[in-house]
């Protein structure tokens, strides 16, 4: 194992000076930045700025990249992050598909892979798959142990971030996913730092990074798939509740006398019951059993239940029954989204997950419903997006979360 070869190197110890950490944070958020701009943004004196920049260059974490345009005097020195100084892995632990990515220090994606989570994918089996892949990539990209900043993990909740434990997630195909000490399991195998947060939060970190030049102060990320997952950010800082709140959006009650939740722990009339992959599969199969006409009858064997991929194929074939059900689910989702907008007033909302990436109809119907039911519309205008990273957002954001530890 990797930890048998090298001693753990904590990310926060790589840049010793607080001023250097602040300056590196500013440089990393720009592809390239001049010394004069750093002087203005940092508030440091010329001598202090020069000393701190020399410290960062000496560490090897930034480099001079040339000279900028003159504004009347000497041309300013430009600085950029040295991408090959370090690398971070980002792991997405989800119920159906999990992913691993590798980023360099500049945030460039160097590699990615995914695994389908089957009945055999227990935590021990999965962590071993991740370990093997990490070792292969380090050999492939000639990455030394000292260059690894660490691994960020974005996982299905609920979880305990401080303890690094995935607590009691629902609907994994394999047994054993309750009270999983994910951070300890990975650190024991890999030997470098691992940090855990919920997947909606890490996806939001990725999308915030993609929008870092646009200065959005308030952003939301909602993942619509097997369940509904929510992350919030204000002034580039994640909002963490007293408990992990990733799945709380799905428990929003939109019909008090409505359908029961799929497990005993949930609310009657919860949004998740009406606007998730589970909800769409349930409605489609109910109507198929009632004999409703659909192309799915030709696609499936007698008695075989329709799964989400089958339903999406029928939707693309413009099947009227499936279109009706997806539109209804999206309308419910839009109502829940409008409730969030009316309470939180974000500037931008990123909508991810298979319901968004696989269906333009769902995205359009949900966002139009939300807009119509927003209290201050049209004065209050929110930007909706499917995001920049698609289904890799959780993993990429997890790696970015690890890279951000350099400036903690």
């Amino acid at each position: 194992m990797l930890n048998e070869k090298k001693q753990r190197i904590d990310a926060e110890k790589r840049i010793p000076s607080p001023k250097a950490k602040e300056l590196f944070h500013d440089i990393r958020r720009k592809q390239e930045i001049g010394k004069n701009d750093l002087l203005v943004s940092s508030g440091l004196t010329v001598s202090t700025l020069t000393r701190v920049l020399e410290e960062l260059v000496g560490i090897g974490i930034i480099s001079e990249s040339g000279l900028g345009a003159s504004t009347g005097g000497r041309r300013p020195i430009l600085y950029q992050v040295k991408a090959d100084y370090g690398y971070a892995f980002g792991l997405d632990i989800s119920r159906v598909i999990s992913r691993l990515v590798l980023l360099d220090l500049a945030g460039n994606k160097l590699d990615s892979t995914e695994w389908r989570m089957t009945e055999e994918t227990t935590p021990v089996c999965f962590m071993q798959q991740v370990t093997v892949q990490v070792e292969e990539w380090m050999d492939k990209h000639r990455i030394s142990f000292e260059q690894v900043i660490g691994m960020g993990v974005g996982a299905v909740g609920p979880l305990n971030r401080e303890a690094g434990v995935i607590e009691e997630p629902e609907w994994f195909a394999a047994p054993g996913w309750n009270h999983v000490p994910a951070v300890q399991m990975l650190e024991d195998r890999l030997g470098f730092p691992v940090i855990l947060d919920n997947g909606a939060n890490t996806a939001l970190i990725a999308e915030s990074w993609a929008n870092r030049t646009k200065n959005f102060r308030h952003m939301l990320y909602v993942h619509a798939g097997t369940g509904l997952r929510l992350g919030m950010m204000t002034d580039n800082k994640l909002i963490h509740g007293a408990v992990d709140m990733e799945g709380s959006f799905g428990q929003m009650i939109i019909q008090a006398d409505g359908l029961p939740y799929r497990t005993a722990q949930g609310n009657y009339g919860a949004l998740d019951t009406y606007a998730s992959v589970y909800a769409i599969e349930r409605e489609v199969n109910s109507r198929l059993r009632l004999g409703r006409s659909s192309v799915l009858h030709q696609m499936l064997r007698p008695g075989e239940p329709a799964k989400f991929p089958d339903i999406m194929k029928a939707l693309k074939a413009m099947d009227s029954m499936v279109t009706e059900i997806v539109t209804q689910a999206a309308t419910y989702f839009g109502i829940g989204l409008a409730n969030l907008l009316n309470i939180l007033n974000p500037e931008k909302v990123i909508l991810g997950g298979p319901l968004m990436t696989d269906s333009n109809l769902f995205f359009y119907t949900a966002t139009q419903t939300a807009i119509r039911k927003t209290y201050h519309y049209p004065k209050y205008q929110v930007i909706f997006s499917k995001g920049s990273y698609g289904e890799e957002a959780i993993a990429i954001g997890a790696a970015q979360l690890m890279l951000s530890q350099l400036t903690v």
Side-chain angles (χ1 to χ4, degrees), residues 63-207:
S63 62
E64 296 180 4
S65 58
L67 298 174
S70 173
T71 56
R74 182 182 300 175
R75 295 172 65 191
I77 300 172
L78 297 176
Y79 293 90
Q80 65 181 11
V81 168
K82 196 170 181 183
D84 62 357
Y85 168 86
Y87 303 85
F89 296 92
L91 180 62
D92 165 12
I93 303 179
S94 292
R95 301 174 181 101
V96 180
I97 300 289
S98 291
R99 294 176 173 84
L100 181 69
V101 301
L102 172 63
L103 303 187
D104 65 21
L105 188 59
N108 302 308
K109 186 181 74 172
L110 304 182
D111 229 323
S112 65
T113 192
E114 65 180 37
W115 298 275
R116 180 162 291 277
M117 305 295 278
T118 69
E119 295 178 357
E120 287 74 41
T121 315
T122 63
V124 171
C125 174
F126 180 70
M127 301 307 180
Q128 183 58 31
Q129 288 178 313
V130 172
T131 302
V132 169
Q133 188 63 73
V134 166
E135 292 177 333
E136 288 181 1
W137 283 353
M138 289 179 67
D139 289 340
K140 173 183 175 182
H141 296 281
R142 298 181 180 179
I143 299 170
S144 68
F145 187 89
E146 290 78 7
Q147 289 177 292
V148 178
I149 308 299
M151 174 182 286
V153 181
V156 171
L159 48 82
N160 185 323
R161 293 182 300 112
E162 290 77 13
V165 174
I166 301 172
E167 294 187 320
E168 296 180 348
E170 297 177 302
W171 315 308
F172 272 91
W177 282 97
N178 284 352
H179 307 290
V180 177
V183 168
Q184 180 182 336
M185 292 177 73
L186 287 166
E187 287 187 341
D188 287 348
R189 288 165 171 77
L190 300 171
F192 49 68
V194 177
I195 188 169
L196 174 70
D197 208 325
N198 75 54
N201 281 347
T202 63
L204 186 51
I205 289 170
E207 297 300 340

Side-chain angles (χ1 to χ4, degrees), residues 287-308:
R287 298 192 194 188
L288 288 177
R289 288 192 297 269
L290 290 173
R292 281 286 302 270
S293 176
S294 171
V295 298
L296 286 165
H297 287 296
Q298 287 76 54
M299 295 169 56
L300 303 170
R301 295 188 298 271
E304 180 186 5
K307 297 295 185 182
F308 184 69

